[in-house]
């Protein structure tokens, strides 16, 4: 396995189980190579505490911790939000669009450090290996990639834990709570253990399972209202106060979390062909998607809205499949941006025990005309016009019927 030409490796480092044992494993299998760890801060919070000390102690020569939060939100999250992209109708792509921004920065550091290879801890069964490697290929097409999970001797997370214990590598997990998790500013995912059987109800009310909020049953019995103001599809104010992009999500995570918002249980179709079950917590993101969608109801014309809904599925597939840095994704984002020119206004939502209830929407560019839509008497809509409209609209059906072609 050893490649003596590899003297310096840059590792995508989270400090979790996989990447914790990868550092000594790389040094053992690549002739004592230098390992430079890179952690992209996209909102993991306390998971970054003590990371540098741990990385150095386990054999890394240095650790970069790169603050990518603002870039993550404004260049990846918000474009996906504006597109209304949701994978398979439920997953708000929290892990999917975090990988490209992290991988891009890792490539930049690998080039600056003169690295011979980039290493990641993604398994051969998951989607993240694709997302990382497509991003690496986009910015360093000739860089060698090391993916230990495809070649090393460990066959399970249990064996990884045994190796870590043998190497005296401290872990924040144990065998009983060994869920595979991914956390960032946007979401937290849970996979593995009892969740691997779709028949099992997740232990939402078990202490320590949910981290970003509470279950709907534990939420307050009183509803909470929020008002989000958008400019050209971007959330800019929360309850009337100007709010930065990162702070917007942080505050909505708090509000949504305490009201049991944004808990999703899904069996999704992975890119590699299998179905996988996961539980996602996306409190703030779920609120933003609901608010943005509500505003589009009054700001977009029918044809644009319907076409955009179809496009959203393709956009979600591209993000999920790691194709962020592709011409199609960029072209679709350009289309989405054009649709957002007049998606400006205020959306009021009522949050109650896991539910998001529409409570009012306004926009200076609203296409809703109360005078036209009213059931009361009006002077702008001649109902007699509808007879001729229906005759022409139904003409193809009438012709087929007269020919005896309708079964």
């Amino acid at each position: 396995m050893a490649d003596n030409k590899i003297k310096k490796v840059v590792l995508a480092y989270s400090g979790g189980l996989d990447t914790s044992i990868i550092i000594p494993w790389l040094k053992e299998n690549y002739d004592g190579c230098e390992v430079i760890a890179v952690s992209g801060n996209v909102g993991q919070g306390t998971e970054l505490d003590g990371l540098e000390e741990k990385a150095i102690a386990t054999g890394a020569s240095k650790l970069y911790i790169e603050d990518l939060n603002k870039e993550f939100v404004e260049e990846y999250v918000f474009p996906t939000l504006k597109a209304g992209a949701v994978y398979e109708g439920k997953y708000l792509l929290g892990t999917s669009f975090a990988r490209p921004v992290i991988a891009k920065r890792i490539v930049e550091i690998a080039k600056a450090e003169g690295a011979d290879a980039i290493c990641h801890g993604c398994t051969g069964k998951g989607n993240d290996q694709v997302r990382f490697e497509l991003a690496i290929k986009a910015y360093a097409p000739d860089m060698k990639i090391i993916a230990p999970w495809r070649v090393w001797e460990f066959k399970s997370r249990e064996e990884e834990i045994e190796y870590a214990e043998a190497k005296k590598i401290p872990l924040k997990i144990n065998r009983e709570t060994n869920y595979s998790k991914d956390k960032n500013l946007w979401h937290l995912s849970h996979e593995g253990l009892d969740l691997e059987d779709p028949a099992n109800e997740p232990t939402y009310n078990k202490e320590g399972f949910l981290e970003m909020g509470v279950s709907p049953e534990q939420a307050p019995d009183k509803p909470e209202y929020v008002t989000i103001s958008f400019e050209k599809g971007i959330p800019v104010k929360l309850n009337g106060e100007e709010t930065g992009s990162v702070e917007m999500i942080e505050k909505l995570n708090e509000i949504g979390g305490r009201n049991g918002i944004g808990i999703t249980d899904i069996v999704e179709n992975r890119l590699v062909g299998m179905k996988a079950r996961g539980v996602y917590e996306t409190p703030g993101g779920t609120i933003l998607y609901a608010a943005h969608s509500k505003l589009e109801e009054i700001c977009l014309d029918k044809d644009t809205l319907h076409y955009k809904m179809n496009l959203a599925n393709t956009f979600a597939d591209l993000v999920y499949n790691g194709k962020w840095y592709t011409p199609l994704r960029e072209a679709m984002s350009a289309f989405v941006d054009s649709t957002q020119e007049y998606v400006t206004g205020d959306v009021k939502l009522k949050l109650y025990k896991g539910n998001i209830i529409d409570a009012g929407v306004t926009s200076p560019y609203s296409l809703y005309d109360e005078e036209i839509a009213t059931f009361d008497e009006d002077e702008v809509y001649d109902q007699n016009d509808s007879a001729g409209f229906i005759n022409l609209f139904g003409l193809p059906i009438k012709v087929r019927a007269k020919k005896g072609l309708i079964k």
Side-chain angles (χ1 to χ4, degrees), residues 9 44 174 280 361 386:
V9 179
Q44 299 94 312
N174 58 49
Y280 297 103
V361 56
S386 62

Side-chain angles (χ1 to χ4, degrees), residues 172-196:
K172 294 182 179 180
I173 62 172
N174 58 49
R175 287 169 171 79
E176 289 71 36
T177 61
N178 185 23
Y179 288 105
S180 176
K181 296 186 179 184
D182 176 76
K183 184 178 183 180
N184 59 42
L185 181 66
W186 187 250
H187 90 155
L188 173 65
S189 64
H190 309 254
E191 294 179 319
L193 297 182
D194 56 306
L195 298 178
E196 291 188 346

Side-chain angles (χ1 to χ4, degrees), residues 8 24 26 57 112 159 195 235 250 254 265 284 290 366 378 401:
K8 185 182 291 188
L26 283 171
E159 292 183 7
L195 298 178
E250 290 175 337
E254 293 177 11
D265 183 352
S366 174
D378 69 82

Side-chain angles (χ1 to χ4, degrees), residues 225-367:
Y225 287 86
V226 293
T227 299
I228 302 170
S229 303
F230 291 83
E231 289 183 6
K232 296 186 176 182
I234 298 294
V236 294
K237 290 182 181 180
L238 179 58
N239 294 330
E241 295 185 5
E242 291 191 11
T243 308
S245 57
V246 174
E247 186 184 8
M248 174 70 72
I249 296 175
E250 290 175 337
K251 287 187 173 181
L252 286 174
N253 278 340
E254 293 177 11
I255 295 169
R258 64 176 174 251
N259 286 285
I261 303 295
I263 302 170
T264 299
D265 183 352
I266 178 175
V267 176
E268 69 195 55
N269 289 291
R270 282 186 177 172
L271 175 58
V272 294
M274 72 182 70
K275 288 184 180 290
R277 197 268 190 98
V279 170
Y280 297 103
E281 298 180 60
T282 322
T286 302
I287 295 171
L288 283 176
Y289 263 77
H292 181 263
S293 176
K294 188 62 182 178
L295 184 58
E296 285 191 324
E297 286 182 12
I298 66 171
C299 292
L300 295 186
D301 64 277
K302 176 182 175 180
D303 287 345
T304 301
L305 179 61
H306 288 191
Y307 189 86
K308 186 172 175 289
M309 286 177 172
N310 291 329
L311 175 143
N313 286 327
T314 302
F315 196 105
D317 281 346
L318 289 175
V319 177
Y320 188 86
N321 294 341
K323 292 187 174 182
W324 187 269
Y325 303 116
T326 59
L328 179 56
R329 200 283 307 163
E330 292 172 1
M332 293 177 76
S333 284
F335 166 80
V336 168
D337 285 344
S338 72
T339 70
Q340 301 299 291
E341 181 69 20
Y342 300 108
V343 181
T344 294
D346 300 331
V347 182
K348 187 177 182 180
L349 301 172
K350 180 165 66 174
L351 313 179
Y352 182 67
K353 288 190 173 294
N355 296 290
I356 300 177
I357 303 163
D358 297 331
V361 56
T362 61
S363 170
Y365 305 111
S366 174
L367 299 178

Side-chain angles (χ1 to χ4, degrees), residues 370-381 383:
E370 187 175 353
E371 190 175 7
I372 293 175
T374 182
F375 283 97
D376 294 330
E377 182 179 355
D378 69 82
E379 297 181 358
V380 297
Y381 188 97
Q383 297 197 31

Side-chain angles (χ1 to χ4, degrees), residues 15-222:
L17 175 58
D18 295 326
T19 57
S20 291
I21 67 172
I22 281 176
I23 294 176
W25 183 88
L26 283 171
K27 299 178 79 68
E28 289 174 357
N29 289 273
Y30 289 89
D31 197 25
C33 66
E34 180 183 359
V35 179
I36 298 171
V38 179
S39 293
N41 178 5
V42 286
Q44 299 94 312
T46 57
E47 290 184 8
L48 298 171
D49 294 348
L51 217 54
E52 182 174 10
E53 180 182 356
K54 180 177 180 178
I56 301 300
T58 50
S61 62
K62 67 176 77 169
L63 170 68
Y64 288 87
I65 298 181
E66 302 292 293
D67 186 352
L68 304 174
N69 281 285
K70 187 175 176 64
E71 181 181 357
F72 172 48
V73 172
E74 296 181 0
E75 297 185 25
Y76 299 82
V77 174
F78 282 172
T80 307
L81 167 68
K82 288 190 291 185
V86 182
Y87 186 69
E88 296 188 339
K90 297 179 77 172
Y91 173 41
L92 298 186
L93 299 163
T95 300
S96 307
F97 50 33
R99 296 312 185 221
V101 64
I102 295 171
K104 180 182 178 183
R105 184 64 184 127
I106 288 171
V107 168
E108 292 169 351
I109 291 173
K111 288 181 176 180
E113 288 281 357
D116 304 304
I118 291 174
C119 179
H120 64 74
C122 308
T123 75
K125 287 186 175 182
N127 302 302
D128 280 347
Q129 59 181 334
V130 181
R131 296 165 185 155
F132 268 115
E133 294 187 29
L134 291 191
I136 293 169
K137 291 178 187 299
Y139 288 98
D142 296 322
M143 180 70 69
K144 182 173 179 59
I145 298 172
I146 301 173
W149 258 108
R150 299 176 194 159
V151 295
W152 65 11
E153 62 272 27
F154 310 120
K155 303 302 180 185
S156 67
R157 289 174 67 81
E158 178 72 21
E159 292 183 7
E160 288 184 280
I161 292 174
E162 291 175 359
Y163 179 84
E165 291 173 343
K167 295 290 183 180
K168 293 182 170 52
I169 298 173
L171 300 173
K172 294 182 179 180
I173 62 172
N174 58 49
R175 287 169 171 79
E176 289 71 36
T177 61
N178 185 23
Y179 288 105
S180 176
K181 296 186 179 184
D182 176 76
K183 184 178 183 180
N184 59 42
L185 181 66
W186 187 250
H187 90 155
L188 173 65
S189 64
H190 309 254
E191 294 179 319
L193 297 182
D194 56 306
L195 298 178
E196 291 188 346
D197 184 351
N200 292 332
E201 179 182 4
T203 54
Y204 296 128
N205 293 321
K206 182 179 179 181
E207 184 178 355
F209 182 76
L210 295 176
E211 297 182 25
M212 298 183 73
V214 299
S215 69
E217 298 97 316
Q218 295 173 322
D221 291 329
K222 182 180 179 181

